[in-house]
Each structure stands twice: as structure tokens, then as C-alpha cells.
Amino acid sequence: MKNILKYSAIVALGIGLFFGKYLGRLIVNVIDNPDTRINSGTPYVQQYLNNCNTY
């Protein structure tokens, strides 16, 4: 019984670390960058180029 609990804890930790990395990135992306997941940023390219200082 102790071995089953030990191995299940190790597996749960491994799954948590593996998926937590990707879920954490997804959550941060949704919270911090809500507009970038909707569009690719192409509408802002012309505005950026117009505001650049060219020499």
C-alpha cells in the first residue's frame, strides 16, 4: 500500500509539473495578452511603421 501511494504521488507530481508548465503559460497569456490571442497583430503593423523614425 505504501508503494502505491508513493508511486501515485510521484506520478501526480510529474503530471502536475509537465502540464502545469503549459497551463501556466496559457493562463498568463490569456490574462496578460488578451488581444494577441484574438488577432495576429497585422492591423498594427502599418500604424507602427507610420510612427517609426526613418533616417
Side-chain angles (χ1 to χ4, degrees), residues 41-55:
T42 54
Y44 302 105
V45 171
Q46 190 62 38
Q47 179 184 0
Y48 175 77
L49 290 175
N50 289 336
N51 292 333
C52 284
N53 293 329
T54 56
Y55 295 101

Side-chain angles (χ1 to χ4, degrees), residues 11-53:
V11 168
L13 180 64
I15 291 173
L17 290 175
F18 181 74
F19 287 112
K21 178 180 177 182
Y22 297 107
L23 288 176
R25 287 181 184 174
L26 178 66
I27 291 169
V28 168
N29 189 25
V30 167
I31 292 171
D32 287 343
N33 305 318
D35 60 336
T36 56
R37 63 189 173 98
I38 297 170
N39 59 46
S40 62
T42 54
Y44 302 105
V45 171
Q46 190 62 38
Q47 179 184 0
Y48 175 77
L49 290 175
N50 289 336
N51 292 333
C52 284
N53 293 329

